[in-house]
Amino acid sequence: MRTLQDRGVALVVVATVMALSSVAAEHISSVPTHNMSNKERNELKEEAREMFYHAYRAYMDKAYPADELMPLSCTGRYRGVTPSRGDLDDVLGNFSMTLVDTLDTLVILGDLEEFERAVKLVIKDVKFDSDIVVSVFETNIRMVGGLLSAHILAEYVQKQADVMMWYRGELLEMAKDLGYRLLPAFNTSTGIPHARVNLKHGMKVESLRHSRETCTACAGTILLEFAALSRLSGEPIFEAKAHAAMDALWKMRHRSSDLMGTVLNVHSGDWIRRESGVGAGIDSYYEYCLKSYILLGDERYLARFNRHYNAIMKYISQGPMLLDVQMHRPHTKTRNFMDALLAFWPGLQVLSGDLKPAVQTHEMLYQVMQMHTFIPEAFTYDFQVHWGQHHLRPEFIESTYFLYRATGDHYYLQVGKKALKALQKHARVPCGYAAVNDVRTGKHEDRMDSYVLSETFKYLYLLFSDPSDLLLNIENFIFTTEAHLLPLTLGQLGNHTFNIKDHEEGGMLDFMRSCPSPNKLFPETVRRPLRDLVTGVCPRISSAKRLRAADFQASNADHLRTVYDMGITMVSLGEGKVQLLHSFYNAKSPEDAERGLVFMQEMVELSKSNTIPKTQLQEVSFQGSDGEPRALKAGPSHFGPELTGDMTVVQRVVYANPSKVCTTLKNVQELRGRIAVVERGDCTFVDKARRVQVAGAVAAIVYDNTPNTSIDNQQMFAMSGDGRDDVKIPVVFLFTKEAEVLRAAIRANSELEVTLRSSKEAADDAGDSATSNSADKPSKTESGSSSSSSGSSESKPAP
C-alpha cells in the first residue's frame, strides 16, 4: 500500500462517480414531504419500541440496581464506586434512578406486566436513607416525578385494566419520604432552594457549609412535582415551598427587561451570572411558568410566562436563533454559540400557541442536525460545532412531537425518522445506547443517562403512535420537564396555591398570543428559507479559488467546510485511517459536486505519487532490570524536531499528572529537564506536547491506550500537528504492547533512564507508513477506487 504524507493527515480516497441525471436530481431533497404511510409509521413505532427495550434490558440485566448503565463497560454506575465525574455525579443517589425514571414509559408502551414487576422492584429495593449529596433539581424531576407518575398510573391501570390490585400507594409514600429529604434545601433567607442536599443529613454536612449558588432552572423546576405531591398526599408544605421559590425568582427578574439571569445567590438573591437565554441554566424555569398555569389553573403563572415570553421574543429571539444577552443590558450579546438544551423551546412555543416561530427555530435545529448527524451540545452562530458532545438528549425529538401534534404535517414524522435512524446507526452498542463524545468523530462515551429511556424513546414512540395505540388519553395529562405524566385533574384536588395578586401582575394577560389555526399555517413556507439560512452560511469557493488536493489540510476548518460543501465526508476505517467519501447527492450544488469529483481525482493521483518522503521510525531504548538492553520501535511526529542520524535525547522518564495532559499539569517540578510519559486521548497530540514543553520537559513519549496494539500488528503512524511551528522538543509514540514493556521497566526502576533516537529501519520496512486517527465515526463505504495516505492526529473534544 503506497502512502501519502499530507502534512500529517492520512486520507483514504473513495470516489463515487455518478452522472447528474434527472433521476439523480430528484433525490437531492433530503427529506420527503409526502405523507408517511400507515405501514411505515407503524414500523417506525415498533422500531422505537425495540430501541427502548434494547436499552432497558441492557440496564436491567447489566446495571440494576445501579443508577445508570455504562453501555460501553456493560455495567452499572454507582455513586462512590465507579470513578467520579465531579459535579456530574450529583444526579446519582444510589436509588436505581433509571428504573424509577422509566416506570411510566412502560405504561405508555402498554407493557403492564413489566410495569408491575418494575414497581415491585422499586418498592422492595429503593431506599433513600443514604449519606449522599444529590442535586435537588435532578432528584426532583427524575425521582420524585418518576415515583408520582408511576403512582398515578398504577392507580389508573387498577381501575382501567383490573391489574395490580395489590397496590396500596407505596410509591406515593416513597415520593413523600424523598420530598421531606429535599425540604432542608429550602431553608434559605429567600426561600430559593440550595442546589444540593444530603439525603440523610440535610444541609448539615461539611461539603454543603459554603453552599450559596444555584441556577434559575434548578430553583424554578420544582412546582409541578411538589404541587402534585402535596395534592396527592394532603400535605401542603411541598407546594407551599415551591410557590415561595417561584415568587422569589419572579421578584428577581430585571424590572426593565423582564429577563432572568442564570446563576444566583440563594441567601442574598443577588445575581452571580446575568446572562439570559432559554438554554442551559434557565430553560425549564420558563417551561414551569407556563405548565404550572396549565396544571394548577393559577393565572399568575400565565401572566409571568407572558411577560417573560414577550421579553424573550423581543431581545433573545433573532429570527430562528436564540442568542443569549445580558439581562440588564438586553441589547448586548454574551456568547457566540447556542446550546442543545434550547431545542425544547419550539415545543413550549407550541404549547403556548405561537406556532410560526416554533416552526422556524425547529427547522434551524433540524438543519444543524443534518449537518452534524446529531445536534452538538453547543454550536456557533454559523452552525459549526462549539462543543461536540451529544448525550442522546430528548429535547429536539420532544419539539418534533409537539409540532406534529399541532400541525399534523407529516414532515415531522420524516424528521423523527431521521433522528431515529441516526440513533440506530451511530449510538447503538451491544449494551444499550452510548452517548457520542464528539459528533465530528462519532467516538462513543460510556454514558447512557436515565432520560434516554424516560424521554428520548418515549417521545419517539409517541411521535409514531396513533392515539388508539395507547392505554391512556395523553390529552388528559401534562408532561413534566422529564416527560413524566401528571393528570390535569390534579388542579381540582384542592388548591394550596397562595392567591396573591401582586399589583405588578395586573393586566398581564393582555400579553397573551392567540393560537393560529394549523389549517392556515403552512409550515413548509416557513421552513424553506431556514434551510437556505443554515446551509448558506459558508460561501462556496469560487472556481478561481478551487481547493486543490495538494493544498488540503484536515486540520484547517475552512478546508473541511469546503470539502463538505463538495459532497465529501470524512469517516474512520479504524486503526487510525481516515476515508474520504464523495457523493453528488450530498453536495451543496451541482457545481460543488463537480469540483468535489475533480478534488477526489486529484487525491487519487496524489496518492500514487512516487515522490513521497519516507517517515523515519524512532526508537526508545533503555536497560532492563535484568541488565539486558531493550529497544522499542516508536512512531515520529510531524511537529517538533525529528530525531535523525546520531541525534539522541538521554534522560530520566517521569509520568505526567494528569496522564493525558489535557488540563493543567500538577507535577511541573518533576517534569523539568526530564522526558515526559503521556497517555493518548481526550486532546490533540500537539496540545500535549505544548503543555509538557512549557513544564520544561526535554522530550515526550506518548503511549497508546487502545488494548493489544503493537508495531507488529498495526500500521505505524506519525502524529500530526496543526500547522504551528512552536514545539521544540521531540515527541514519539509507542503502541500499547511496546508501552507495557516501558511501563514495566519504570515500575521496576523509578529512576529509569531512556534514550530516544532514530531507528535504523524506515517506516515502510515496518509496514505501511503513518495513518490518521482524526475521525472514528463509522460510515457506509460507497463504491469506487481507494488508496491510503499518511499522518496521524487526535480529535479534540469540546471543553
Side-chain angles (χ1 to χ4, degrees):
M1 188 181 290
R2 305 300 295 177
T3 63
L4 168 67
Q5 201 167 18
D6 179 35
R7 303 189 185 182
V9 179
L11 304 168
V12 177
V13 181
V14 178
T16 303
V17 182
M18 296 182 239
L20 268 180
S21 63
S22 59
V23 175
E26 291 174 2
H27 291 81
I28 291 176
S29 177
S30 59
V31 179
T33 56
H34 59 269
N35 282 358
M36 181 178 287
S37 68
N38 289 335
K39 179 177 181 293
E40 183 180 11
R41 186 175 173 183
N42 191 61
E43 288 171 350
L44 289 168
K45 179 191 71 174
E46 293 307 315
E47 186 170 0
R49 182 198 299 273
E50 187 280 331
M51 291 168 73
F52 168 84
Y53 280 112
H54 175 67
Y56 176 75
R57 288 174 182 138
Y59 167 76
M60 294 302 294
D61 294 344
K62 304 296 182 181
Y64 183 81
D67 282 324
E68 291 179 350
L69 168 70
M70 295 193 292
L72 302 184
S73 304
C74 219
T75 187
R77 189 186 301 281
Y78 290 89
R79 184 76 171 270
V81 177
T82 46
S84 173
R85 300 174 296 171
D87 291 348
L88 188 60
D89 280 347
D90 286 341
V91 69
L92 309 176
N94 289 345
F95 37 34
S96 303
M97 179 177 62
T98 293
L99 182 58
V100 172
D101 212 4
T102 303
L103 290 173
D104 58 4
T105 308
L106 293 167
V107 179
I108 293 288
L109 294 171
D111 193 347
L112 298 187
E113 181 179 349
E114 182 60 25
F115 175 65
E116 181 172 9
R117 184 178 84 92
V119 168
K120 288 180 177 178
L121 282 174
V122 169
I123 294 170
K124 177 173 70 75
D125 295 339
V126 175
K127 302 292 184 291
F128 302 124
D129 191 30
S130 304
D131 187 8
I132 293 177
V133 172
V134 297
S135 162
V136 174
F137 163 74
E138 298 286 4
T139 303
N140 175 62
I141 66 171
R142 303 196 200 202
M143 294 296 298
V144 176
L147 290 167
L148 290 174
S149 181
H151 162 72
I152 290 162
L153 294 179
E155 292 194 334
Y156 181 88
V157 299
Q158 272 186 339
K159 298 173 184 176
Q160 300 297 322
D162 201 29
V163 297
M164 295 182 67
M165 303 310 293
W166 55 267
Y167 180 74
R168 292 293 183 271
E170 291 88 345
L171 296 178
L172 176 59
E173 289 302 310
M174 294 176 69
K176 189 167 67 172
D177 174 25
L178 184 54
Y180 274 116
R181 294 177 187 276
L182 298 181
L183 283 183
F186 290 80
N187 293 332
T188 64
S189 55
T190 61
I192 295 172
H194 289 276
R196 299 171 182 83
V197 70
N198 186 288
L199 290 175
K200 191 181 187 73
H201 304 294
M203 300 301 298
K204 298 178 180 178
V205 293
E206 181 62 29
S207 62
L208 298 176
R209 174 178 293 181
H210 303 293
S211 172
R212 295 289 185 274
E213 299 179 7
T214 193
C215 71
T216 305
C218 302
T221 313
I222 305 288
L223 182 53
L224 292 188
E225 291 82 2
F226 268 35
L229 182 55
S230 281
R231 298 187 182 206
L232 291 169
S233 69
E235 301 190 24
I237 187 170
F238 303 109
E239 184 171 350
K241 292 288 187 182
H243 279 302
M246 291 294 277
D247 289 343
L249 286 172
W250 171 246
K251 292 175 182 176
M252 291 173 190
R253 75 193 186 284
H254 192 269
R255 298 303 177 98
S256 175
S257 70
D258 280 330
L259 294 175
M260 305 288 284
T262 52
V263 179
L264 54 101
N265 185 306
V266 299
H267 295 301
S268 67
D270 294 334
W271 288 106
I272 296 169
R273 290 186 56 185
R274 295 171 179 260
E275 295 93 334
S276 187
V278 298
I282 195 170
D283 48 357
S284 48
Y285 162 72
Y286 294 130
E287 180 183 1
Y288 272 39
C289 281
L290 180 58
K291 290 183 177 179
S292 294
Y293 163 71
I294 295 171
L295 183 67
L296 307 177
D298 191 330
E299 290 186 353
R300 62 178 155 158
Y301 290 111
L302 176 60
R304 291 174 185 179
F305 173 79
N306 285 327
R307 284 275 287 270
H308 285 317
Y309 185 79
N310 281 277
I312 290 165
M313 298 306 289
K314 179 178 180 180
Y315 299 117
I316 294 171
S317 176
Q318 304 292 321
M321 296 188 289
L322 298 158
L323 313 180
D324 281 18
V325 300
Q326 294 282 5
M327 61 177 285
H328 57 299
R329 292 197 298 270
H331 297 290
T332 303
K333 301 293 183 285
T334 61
R335 62 185 190 182
N336 65 346
F337 61 89
M338 294 173 275
D339 63 69
L341 285 170
L342 62 76
F344 89 101
W345 185 250
L348 191 63
Q349 289 181 305
V350 169
L351 200 60
S352 73
D354 204 6
L355 284 179
K356 182 175 179 179
V359 170
Q360 290 179 320
T361 297
H362 179 274
E363 184 62 24
M364 178 269 292
L365 292 165
Y366 180 48
Q367 297 301 319
V368 172
M369 188 195 91
Q370 291 186 101
M371 288 177 70
H372 304 294
T373 304
F374 296 108
I375 296 177
E377 191 70 358
F379 53 92
T380 59
Y381 294 167
D382 61 349
F383 311 108
Q384 304 306 307
V385 174
H386 183 76
W387 296 333
Q389 302 93 334
H390 177 75
H391 297 144
L392 315 184
R393 293 195 184 278
E395 286 80 9
F396 178 72
I397 299 171
E398 173 188 358
S399 288
T400 304
Y401 165 69
F402 282 112
L403 272 165
Y404 175 68
R405 293 299 303 276
T407 66
D409 189 343
H410 279 226
Y411 177 85
Y412 296 108
L413 296 179
Q414 301 290 352
V415 172
K417 176 182 176 180
K418 188 102 172 178
L420 181 150
K421 296 300 183 182
L423 288 169
Q424 288 284 64
K425 183 175 182 179
H426 300 293
R428 188 177 179 120
V429 294
C431 283
Y433 289 80
V436 177
N437 183 259
D438 194 318
V439 298
R440 292 163 291 197
T441 66
K443 183 179 179 182
H444 285 140
E445 186 176 337
D446 202 7
R447 172 177 178 178
M448 189 182 85
D449 292 83
S450 67
Y451 56 66
V452 177
L453 289 168
S454 174
E455 298 185 77
T456 305
F457 293 140
K458 179 185 290 173
Y459 281 124
L460 270 178
Y461 181 83
L462 286 171
L463 175 63
F464 298 114
S465 297
D466 189 85
S468 62
D469 297 329
L470 307 176
L471 292 175
L472 42 83
N473 185 354
I474 291 294
E475 300 294 337
N476 294 331
F477 294 83
I478 192 168
F479 288 105
T480 69
T481 194
E482 191 73 6
H484 293 308
L485 285 82
L486 297 178
L488 296 175
T489 51
L490 277 175
Q492 304 169 11
L493 292 183
N495 189 356
H496 296 285
T497 61
F498 310 141
N499 292 311
I500 300 172
K501 296 297 182 183
D502 191 312
H503 69 279
E504 296 181 24
E505 299 180 28
M508 283 191 286
L509 296 184
D510 294 338
F511 284 83
M512 291 180 62
R513 293 170 177 243
S514 61
C515 182
S517 168
N519 296 327
K520 295 183 179 179
L521 176 71
F522 298 95
E524 176 61 21
T525 63
V526 179
R527 290 191 298 258
R528 186 170 296 281
L530 272 302
R531 295 173 198 162
D532 296 336
L533 169 70
V534 176
T535 58
V537 291
C538 302
R540 292 202 307 271
I541 301 296
S542 68
S543 56
K545 297 182 179 180
R546 182 179 64 81
L547 178 64
R548 302 182 184 279
D551 300 325
F552 176 72
Q553 294 182 2
S555 58
N556 185 311
D558 291 333
H559 289 185
L560 292 176
R561 199 171 300 133
T562 300
V563 298
Y564 179 88
D565 284 349
M566 293 190 295
I568 298 169
T569 55
M570 296 179 63
V571 298
S572 171
L573 298 180
E575 300 182 356
K577 295 190 292 294
V578 171
Q579 187 176 60
L580 291 183
L581 305 176
H582 178 251
S583 169
F584 271 112
Y585 297 146
N586 293 333
K588 191 173 177 181
S589 70
E591 294 79 10
D592 284 307
E594 291 176 6
R595 292 180 193 133
L597 182 57
V598 173
F599 178 89
M600 298 295 277
Q601 290 170 339
E602 288 180 351
M603 193 63 77
V604 171
E605 291 303 315
L606 197 58
S607 69
K608 296 177 180 177
S609 170
N610 292 320
T611 60
I612 302 166
K614 295 178 179 179
T615 302
Q616 185 70 37
L617 281 176
Q618 308 288 281
E619 183 178 276
V620 179
S621 59
F622 53 89
Q623 191 173 42
S625 57
D626 56 2
E628 294 295 319
R630 300 280 190 276
L632 308 173
K633 289 188 176 64
S637 63
H638 287 299
F639 52 86
E642 184 177 359
L643 298 173
T644 59
D646 295 329
M647 295 172 59
T648 61
V649 176
V650 183
Q651 191 49 261
R652 281 177 48 200
V653 289
V654 174
Y655 282 110
N657 180 18
S659 63
K660 292 183 179 178
V661 199
C662 296
T663 54
T664 304
L665 284 162
K666 299 177 181 177
N667 62 335
V668 172
Q669 295 298 327
E670 298 175 49
L671 290 172
R672 184 165 292 119
R674 308 300 186 192
I675 297 175
V677 181
V678 176
E679 182 182 359
R680 178 184 188 176
D682 289 358
C683 58
T684 61
F685 291 119
V686 70
D687 281 346
K688 299 174 191 289
R690 289 188 180 112
R691 285 192 175 94
V692 297
Q693 176 177 270
V694 170
V698 296
I701 301 170
V702 180
Y703 64 89
D704 200 0
N705 56 5
T706 304
N708 303 319
T709 60
S710 170
I711 187 65
D712 297 325
N713 62 25
Q714 300 288 316
Q715 295 175 337
M716 179 50 68
F717 64 84
M719 298 174 286
S720 72
D722 55 10
R724 292 165 54 191
D725 186 24
D726 57 348
V727 177
K728 307 301 180 186
I729 62 174
V731 184
V732 302
F733 179 84
L734 287 177
F735 281 118
T736 304
K737 289 288 182 69
E738 287 73 30
E740 288 172 354
V741 176
L742 173 63
R743 298 177 71 187
I746 297 173
R747 286 194 295 271
N749 177 13
S750 61
E751 304 292 318
L752 183 71
E753 184 177 87
V754 307
T755 299
L756 305 184
R757 60 164 64 93
S758 67
S759 172
K760 295 180 180 179
E761 303 179 46
D764 58 346
D765 294 330
D768 290 310
S769 184
T771 56
S772 170
N773 190 41
S774 62
D776 297 322
K777 183 163 59 178
S779 179
K780 183 177 181 181
T781 303
E782 301 197 35
S783 60
S785 59
S786 68
S787 61
S788 75
S789 54
S790 73
S792 174
S793 67
E794 289 253 343
S795 60
K796 184 175 183 180

